[in-house]
């Protein structure tokens, strides 16, 4: 019998037995659940006490439309909301700017000001829901708007729970929704850490993300290694800014993909926890066990969804979600089966949530902690992935760390090579994709996708015009000048930013104030 290869390019043997774990020390490699090295999970009881947070990613068109979807999700049993923002918001532009034309409300909700944020969360109790916001370059701005709306609801900042992605380094690697150069971007991340420590203590200040790198083609080992390398850079930046590691590290969180390759994904999550725990303890001297924990959110693999025979995606998502749960995720978003075609319909979003509920309440995988502990194959894969992750982390350190490697194009080039190989394998038939290159239909069944109102840009422009005519122009100008002075100095920029947003400055205006001081980033060619 010959061995196959997993997604990370490591061999998978046809049969595993005791020899695969010869010399393997469970006390060293596993430990107890909730204790170093956290291979078996970050909490002692994991899902035997309560299930993971079931999040559903939503946001499209106007804030009012997204608000209605959130209320439907809450009615269906979800208390973890996950907000998708449109591209102009992600890039720090207002909906009425020329560059935003044709993109308003398309891939997420358009948020231009505190008025939009009020509408987005109107009638939703912010002291009882946990909200994750997928936003990076302007993450601090959206967090401050959320805090302001909470205050208007009478919810104090210490009652707010949730996460902002705030992971700017992966934008330079995989997504491209960056604004500022790396150095001021890292300063902004550190300012968020410090601000939340004082003002919003339960908030997860960053979700260090491998998901988008995986969607761009990164292998599981690359996904984890490049994500942890970014995490190291954030920790170093925070320490250099004067923060103590055990003050901010407990609020760090991560974000990974779950693919259909079930066994490797389980092993990937376990290896990631082990590597991060070692880094935090040995490199940064973190003494608080919470600082050593790799807590993470998972989203099922959007890149593996197909427009052909879209109902098959229900099966893919169920397997991917199961892998995330068996790997010990803290929260989970399951993609809707129609996301390869358009924004999810209400029925598709409900089915995606029901997928998680079936795993949580109809299977027995939540009855015991880390069901695959001691498995010959999973433990062997975990060790193999750990070694490959360490190898890649060593290469990044040799290049001067994550930021230097990004500036040299290393991670981007590695991901592009991996993505090209996957494409070649699919095109050549070596990799089967059901409904695409095998088990196809002569004629696809018709499907009616959800469509976004094309007049949303005009509606948002009208809202902005009213906002600007009703607010105090002098107050906004003074507040934006304070933002610029803080950005040019060394103080925490979030405090003047909050005052500007409270005075009804827009997302674009605050972003442009920072652009004036910090400039914008121009990418380099690949490694």
């Amino acid at each position: 019998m010959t061995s196959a290869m997993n997604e990370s390019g490591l061999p998978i043997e046809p049969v595993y037995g005791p020899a695969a774990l010869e010399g393997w020390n469970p006390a060293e490699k596993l430990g107890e659940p909730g204790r170093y090295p956290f291979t078996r999970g970050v909490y002692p009881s994991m899902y035997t006490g309560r299930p993971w947070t079931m999040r559903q990613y939503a946001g499209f068109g106007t804030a009012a439309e997204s608000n209605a979807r959130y209320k439907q999700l809450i009615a269906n049993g979800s208390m973890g909301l996950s907000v998708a923002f449109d591209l102009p918001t992600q890039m720090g532009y207002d909906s009425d700017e020329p560059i935003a034309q044709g993109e308003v409300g398309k891939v997420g909700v358009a948020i231009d000001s505190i008025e939009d944020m009020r509408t987005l969360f109107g009638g939703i109790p912010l002291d009882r829901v946990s909200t994750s916001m997928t936003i990076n370059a302007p993450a601090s701005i959206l967090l401050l708007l959320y805090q302001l709306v909470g205050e208007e609801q009478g919810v104090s900042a210490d009652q707010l729970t949730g996460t902002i992605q705030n992971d700017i380094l992966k934008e330079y690697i995989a997504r491209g929704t960056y604004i500022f150069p790396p150095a001021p971007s890292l300063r902004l991340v550190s300012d968020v850490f410090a601000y939340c420590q004082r003002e919003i203590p339960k908030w997860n200040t960053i979700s260090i993300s491998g998901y988008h790198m995986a969607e761009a083609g990164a292998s599981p080992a690359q996904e984890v290694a490049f994500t942890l390398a970014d995490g190291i850079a954030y920790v170093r930046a925070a320490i250099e800014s004067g923060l103590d590691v055990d003050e901010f590290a407990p609020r760090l969180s991560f974000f990974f993909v779950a693919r259909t390759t079930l066994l490797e994904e389980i092993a990937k999550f376990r290896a990631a926890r082990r590597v991060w725990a070692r880094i935090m303890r040995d490199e940064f001297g973190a003494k608080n066990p919470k600082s050593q924990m790799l807590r993470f959110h998972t989203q099922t693999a959007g890149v593996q969804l197909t427009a052909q025979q879209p109902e098959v995606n229900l099966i893919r998502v169920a397997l991917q979600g199961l892998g995330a749960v068996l790997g010990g995720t803290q929260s989970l978003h399951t993609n809707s089966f129609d996301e390869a075609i358009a924004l999810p319909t209400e029925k598709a979003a409900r089915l995606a949530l029901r997928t998680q509920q079936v795993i949580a309440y109809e299977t027995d995988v939540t009855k015991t902690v880390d069901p695959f502990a001691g498995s010959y194959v999973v433990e062997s894969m975990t060790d193999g992935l750990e070694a490959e992750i360490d190898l890649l982390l060593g290469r990044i350190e040799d290049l001067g760390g994550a930021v230097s490697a990004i500036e040299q194009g290393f991670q981007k080039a590695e991901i592009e090579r991996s993505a090209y190989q996957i494409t070649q394998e699919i095109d050549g038939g070596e990799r089967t994709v059901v409904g695409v290159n095998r088990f196809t239909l002569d004629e696809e069944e018709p499907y009616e996708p959800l469509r976004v109102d094309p007049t949303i840009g005009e509606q948002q422009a009208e809202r902005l015009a009213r906002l600007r005519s009703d607010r105090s122009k002098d107050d906004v100008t003074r507040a934006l000048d304070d933002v610029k002075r803080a950005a040019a100095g060394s103080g925490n920029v979030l405090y003047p930013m909050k005052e500007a947003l409270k005075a009804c400055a827009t997302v674009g205006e605050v972003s442009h104030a920072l652009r004036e001081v910090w400039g914008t980033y121009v990418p380099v060619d690949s490694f």
Side-chain angles (χ1 to χ4, degrees):
M1 292 186 288
T2 58
S3 61
M5 303 293 281
N6 66 18
E7 296 288 296
S8 298
L10 304 173
I12 303 178
E13 300 300 332
V15 177
Y16 285 81
L21 298 181
E22 188 174 352
W24 185 79
N25 183 345
E28 174 191 347
K29 292 290 189 178
L30 288 181
E32 296 297 322
R35 298 181 63 181
Y36 186 91
F38 302 102
T39 310
R40 302 201 63 191
V42 293
Y43 302 122
S45 61
M46 289 303 290
Y47 312 132
T48 62
R50 66 180 181 88
W52 58 94
T53 300
M54 299 180 193
R55 295 194 184 279
Q56 285 309 109
Y57 189 49
F60 58 92
T62 66
E65 290 174 302
S66 294
N67 175 265
R69 176 63 62 86
Y70 293 150
K71 288 176 177 174
Q72 290 163 359
L73 289 169
I74 290 170
N76 286 323
S78 176
M79 289 305 286
L81 302 178
S82 190
V83 187
F85 296 94
D86 72 353
L87 193 56
T89 305
Q90 292 180 49
M91 298 294 290
Y93 292 109
D94 289 330
S95 296
D96 59 354
E97 297 189 53
I99 196 170
Q101 188 172 359
E103 293 294 336
V104 177
K106 273 199 170 178
V107 299
V109 63
I111 298 294
D112 291 315
S113 71
I114 190 169
E115 283 193 351
D116 290 328
M117 193 64 94
R118 286 183 190 124
T119 303
L120 184 64
F121 289 103
I124 295 173
L126 298 190
D127 56 342
R128 297 207 297 273
V129 299
S130 171
T131 302
S132 173
M133 293 188 275
T134 304
I135 193 75
N136 295 284
S140 53
I141 299 173
L142 276 299
L143 172 62
L144 292 169
L145 289 174
Y146 189 84
Q147 181 188 3
L148 286 167
V149 169
E151 289 174 356
E152 291 178 353
Q153 288 188 4
V155 178
S156 63
D158 61 3
Q159 293 178 285
L160 297 176
T161 60
T163 304
I164 45 171
Q165 195 162 100
N166 197 28
D167 175 13
I168 196 60
L169 291 181
K170 65 96 173 50
E171 297 297 320
Y172 303 114
I173 297 171
R175 287 191 75 241
T177 61
Y178 44 73
I179 300 175
F180 317 112
S185 293
L186 282 174
R187 176 206 166 165
L188 192 53
V189 170
S190 296
D191 280 358
V192 170
F193 289 175
Y195 181 86
C196 288
Q197 181 189 328
R198 289 192 288 268
E199 308 292 340
I200 319 178
K202 294 179 183 177
W203 197 266
N204 295 315
T205 53
I206 193 168
S207 178
I208 307 165
S209 176
Y211 181 86
H212 306 91
M213 291 186 263
E215 292 284 279
S219 71
Q222 289 172 337
E223 174 196 357
V224 173
F226 297 164
T227 304
L228 298 191
D230 288 350
I232 291 168
Y234 293 128
V235 172
R236 287 174 177 163
I239 291 172
E240 287 169 7
S241 75
L243 296 176
D244 179 84
V245 65
D246 283 321
E247 289 178 339
F248 67 86
R251 303 315 305 171
L252 302 179
S253 65
F254 292 80
F255 176 22
F256 295 113
V257 79
R259 302 169 180 82
T260 52
T261 43
L262 194 69
L263 297 178
E264 185 178 6
E265 291 299 288
I266 296 167
K268 177 192 79 177
F269 295 129
R270 300 168 89 252
R273 277 195 295 270
R274 198 153 73 201
V275 174
W276 184 247
R278 188 181 70 241
I279 289 169
M280 293 304 291
R281 186 191 69 173
D282 296 349
E283 180 173 342
F284 295 112
K287 295 180 173 57
N288 185 346
K290 291 183 178 179
S291 300
Q292 302 166 2
M293 293 178 183
L294 184 141
R295 297 172 302 111
F296 65 97
H297 169 69
T298 309
Q299 182 173 336
T300 55
V303 75
Q304 291 188 319
L305 302 183
T306 64
Q308 299 92 331
Q309 301 181 45
E311 291 84 0
V312 177
N313 294 329
L314 287 164
I315 302 153
R316 293 187 177 103
V317 168
L319 288 169
Q320 293 162 359
L322 180 61
V325 169
L326 291 170
T329 192
Q330 275 58 72
S331 69
L332 176 61
H333 163 79
T334 35
N335 289 328
S336 301
F337 74 90
D338 53 359
E339 287 188 40
I341 303 169
L343 289 166
T345 60
E346 180 185 343
K347 180 179 180 180
R350 184 172 62 250
L351 283 171
L353 178 60
R354 294 290 183 256
T355 302
Q356 295 199 50
Q357 291 165 339
V358 168
I359 294 171
Y361 300 111
E362 293 192 21
T363 76
D364 57 1
V365 299
T366 61
K367 301 295 192 294
T368 186
V369 177
D370 190 23
F372 277 87
S375 158
Y376 297 132
V377 60
V378 168
E379 298 297 0
S380 181
M381 280 187 173
T382 302
D383 289 353
L385 282 164
E386 180 183 11
E388 187 67 15
I389 291 162
D390 284 338
L391 185 66
L392 287 166
L393 285 170
R395 291 184 66 186
I396 290 170
E397 286 297 299
D398 290 343
L399 291 169
V403 175
S404 178
I406 287 167
E407 291 172 341
Q408 296 173 64
F410 170 70
Q411 297 97 319
K412 188 170 183 290
E414 289 292 298
I415 292 169
E416 286 171 352
R417 276 193 280 271
S418 177
Y420 179 74
Q421 182 179 338
I422 291 169
T423 301
Q424 292 292 98
E425 290 173 0
I426 293 171
D427 291 346
E430 300 168 56
R431 180 188 291 257
T432 296
V433 181
V434 173
V436 175
N437 62 2
R438 286 188 72 186
F439 315 112
T440 57
L441 296 176
D442 293 333
E443 185 176 337
E444 292 287 335
E445 297 177 5
Y447 176 80
E448 184 60 34
L450 179 72
R451 301 197 184 278
V452 174
D453 184 351
T455 67
I456 285 172
E458 297 170 17
Q459 296 172 35
Q460 285 296 110
E462 290 171 4
R463 286 170 62 86
L464 280 164
R466 287 195 300 272
L467 174 81
R468 292 189 176 112
S469 67
D470 293 343
R471 71 190 185 181
S472 167
K473 183 178 178 181
D474 290 341
D475 287 351
V476 172
T477 300
R478 279 193 296 270
L480 291 174
D481 286 342
D482 289 343
V483 170
K484 286 184 243 183
R485 276 191 289 273
S490 58
N492 192 312
V493 295
L494 269 73
Y495 289 96
M497 283 166 58
K498 183 184 178 189
E499 292 307 309
L501 295 165
K502 193 173 182 179
C504 293
T506 67
V507 170
E509 288 166 345
V510 175
S511 298
H512 289 316
L514 295 174
R515 281 185 177 96
E516 281 187 40
V517 180
W518 291 340
T520 55
Y521 178 70
V522 178
V524 298
D525 293 333
S526 293
F527 189 79

